[in-house]
Amino acid sequence: MTDSSGDPERGHMSDDHSYDHLVIGAGPIGAATARHLAERGDSVLVIGPEEPTDFVDHQGTWAGYYDQGRMCHVLEIPVITGILTTRSVRRLPALSDSTGIRFTTDVHCLSVNPRDTSGVAAAEWFDRDVLAANARDLGVEVHQLDEDDLRRDYPALRLESGHVGVVQRSGMIINPRELVRAELAAAAAAGATLMRDEVIALENEGEHRIAVTAGGRRARGRTAVLAVGAATNASGLLDRRLQLHTLGATVVLVEIDDPTRIDMPALMYLKHRGAAQLFGGVVMSPVRYPDGRWYIKVAGSSVRDTPLQTAEEISAWVRTGGSGADVDEAMSVLSDLLPELRLGEARTRPCLVCATSTNHPYIDQVDERTVLAIEGERGVMAADEIGRLSAGLAATGRWTDPLPRSVFRARWKE
């Protein structure tokens, strides 16, 4: 991708260069926003740091997309998430073809929950009747499965007794790193410029916004789109705080030696035994990581245990590498779920997630020159559409989509 200086680490940008748009954040949503702006013919500079090589001595920002696999499906509540995902998914094949970057793998996406959900705290997010109805409204075929259906269709799984499910057989796993690479490649092909740096301040200068970076550079744009995800409040780039919960999540990667030995869906699993919740989270189909090894990824419910407020708290959390207690939970879940599979070494990775107070993305104007684009845990699968909507708002200052603008309004702390 074109860099502002020819060298993303050592270059200097002259203060007299101006862009139509600065996109701050080069993750899934920022990269998609840059692409859609550039494809409109506008000049775009997208600014974001390289992925850190390690987290042991980490300082600074971190992103949830530093990963190899995220589920992509419409089995979500609220239905707005499914609408955004469906729109995104329709464009992904063309993005892959135009860039030559493959970032999706077809997989069944299966949601499993207790048949009797009375008194189950998380039941509203796993209500299979609502999930199936949402999918039907979107024109996506899904199938509700009773206990016998689950045993027949997924014989390798030993799911908890008394559980039922709903499956989208047209689901997929998206590689977030490769999706970002594809979006940035498409943005570059349309003329966008990438600066590998971290923005530490946003200033006003006449009719422009100025992004000041940790590397001492200043970039000028007619508008700025802020797409830094879970780090938005901690970044200090806004003069007021959003109603946004930033949480430190732990990803457990359990190595397996031969992925061909296990035929399993990507699983959203609310596991109960009697009144006790034993697990609530994701068990991913085997995914190959950059070290060349195959892992089953498990992400449980401990995410709610680690709220983070400041940049210092985020950095400190990342340096822990995640919660070691989650390893025991992951190994217990997998031992019950896949009793015939030999499980290898387990390791943890830190992750950041966020949740808006509305459970919808924030896609909104902060002021006439600044647009905000944030999604939480579902940001990867809906990123391209969130980027398109954000680009339209930045480029025109108007909301032109049939979806109500009020759904995406940002909420601010008093």
Side-chain angles (χ1 to χ4, degrees):
M1 185 175 202
T2 304
D3 179 73
S4 61
S5 63
D7 187 328
E9 300 300 326
R10 296 188 296 274
H12 173 74
M13 170 170 285
S14 62
D15 287 346
D16 60 354
H17 194 100
S18 181
Y19 290 85
D20 291 322
H21 310 285
L22 307 176
V23 178
I24 301 167
I29 292 174
T33 302
R35 171 169 87 90
H36 287 286
L37 284 168
E39 289 178 349
R40 298 174 72 100
D42 292 356
S43 60
V44 180
L45 175 67
V46 55
I47 311 171
E50 293 275 11
E51 178 177 346
T53 57
D54 202 354
F55 49 79
V56 176
D57 300 314
H58 178 70
Q59 299 288 339
T61 60
W62 191 261
Y65 80 89
Y66 300 155
D67 194 14
Q68 292 296 104
R70 293 291 176 87
M71 295 173 66
C72 180
H73 53 84
V74 299
L75 299 175
E76 290 283 356
I77 299 171
V79 70
I80 287 292
T81 301
I83 294 172
L84 299 176
T85 298
T86 300
R87 290 180 175 183
S88 289
V89 166
R90 288 172 182 157
R91 289 193 292 270
L92 295 185
L95 177 61
S96 183
D97 289 344
S98 67
T99 61
I101 299 171
R102 182 171 180 261
F103 51 82
T104 63
T105 302
D106 293 339
V107 70
H108 289 193
C109 290
L110 173 66
S111 177
V112 172
N113 59 271
R115 181 172 50 245
D116 180 6
T117 58
S118 56
V120 176
E124 63 176 310
W125 299 102
F126 285 81
D127 188 319
R128 69 172 186 156
D129 292 331
V130 175
L131 295 175
N134 285 351
R136 285 194 297 270
D137 286 345
L138 295 169
V140 178
E141 184 177 10
V142 298
H143 303 273
Q144 296 193 52
L145 307 175
D146 62 23
E147 196 167 352
D148 290 337
D149 296 329
L150 288 169
R151 280 195 292 264
R152 180 197 66 223
D153 291 354
Y154 304 104
L157 303 184
R158 299 293 184 271
L159 294 161
E160 186 72 14
S161 176
H163 285 52
V164 294
V166 57
V167 63
Q168 179 183 335
R169 295 178 179 135
S170 61
M172 62 180 70
I173 292 174
I174 293 180
N175 182 324
R177 290 183 175 110
E178 292 300 281
L179 171 64
V180 167
R181 193 162 70 91
E183 293 281 12
L184 290 176
T193 299
L194 173 65
M195 178 190 287
R196 283 302 189 188
D197 208 335
E198 180 182 350
V199 175
I200 58 172
L202 265 179
E203 301 173 354
N204 290 317
E205 185 182 271
E207 297 299 313
H208 292 84
R209 297 238 66 182
I210 305 296
V212 182
T213 75
R217 293 182 280 191
R218 295 171 61 86
R220 177 187 289 109
R222 179 171 53 84
T223 73
V225 179
L226 189 61
V228 295
T232 301
N233 280 340
S235 72
L237 297 177
L238 297 172
D239 59 8
R240 51 183 172 154
R241 294 177 70 84
L242 290 161
Q243 293 180 18
L244 184 73
H245 303 287
T246 297
L247 304 160
T250 297
V251 171
V252 180
L253 301 178
V254 181
E255 187 176 355
I256 59 170
D257 56 5
D258 183 2
T260 64
R261 292 185 57 198
I262 180 66
D263 182 15
M264 64 176 290
L267 181 65
M268 296 161 285
Y269 194 12
L270 181 61
K271 180 182 180 181
H272 269 245
R273 189 171 297 161
Q277 179 175 316
L278 303 183
F279 180 74
V282 169
V283 180
M284 188 80 73
S285 313
V287 172
R288 193 174 191 178
Y289 273 72
D291 63 2
R293 300 176 180 179
W294 290 85
Y295 298 92
I296 295 175
K297 183 175 82 169
V298 182
S301 52
S302 70
V303 60
R304 299 295 173 185
D305 299 338
T306 316
L308 303 169
Q309 298 290 332
T310 67
E312 292 74 21
E313 289 176 353
I314 291 173
S315 294
W317 161 253
V318 170
R319 289 194 296 273
T320 69
S323 170
D326 283 34
V327 172
D328 293 338
E329 178 189 57
M331 296 302 285
S332 175
V333 168
L334 291 180
S335 296
D336 285 351
L337 184 66
L338 300 163
E340 304 301 320
L341 184 65
R342 187 176 70 84
L343 301 174
E345 179 185 355
R347 63 193 69 186
T348 62
R349 281 189 59 85
C351 184
L352 280 186
V353 298
C354 63
T356 67
S357 63
T358 61
N359 288 318
H360 295 136
Y362 290 159
I363 308 171
D364 202 3
Q365 285 179 299
V366 178
D367 55 48
E368 63 182 4
R369 293 191 295 275
T370 312
V371 169
L372 184 67
I374 303 175
E375 171 53 273
E377 298 178 66
R378 312 168 189 92
V380 170
M381 64 186 188
D384 194 76
E385 179 60 11
I386 295 172
R388 187 189 71 84
L389 293 171
S390 302
L393 190 56
T396 68
R398 295 180 294 110
W399 186 266
T400 59
D401 194 83
L403 292 174
R405 183 174 184 177
S406 59
V407 171
F408 304 104
R409 288 284 192 187
R411 303 294 191 270
W412 302 90
K413 289 189 175 181
E414 298 296 330

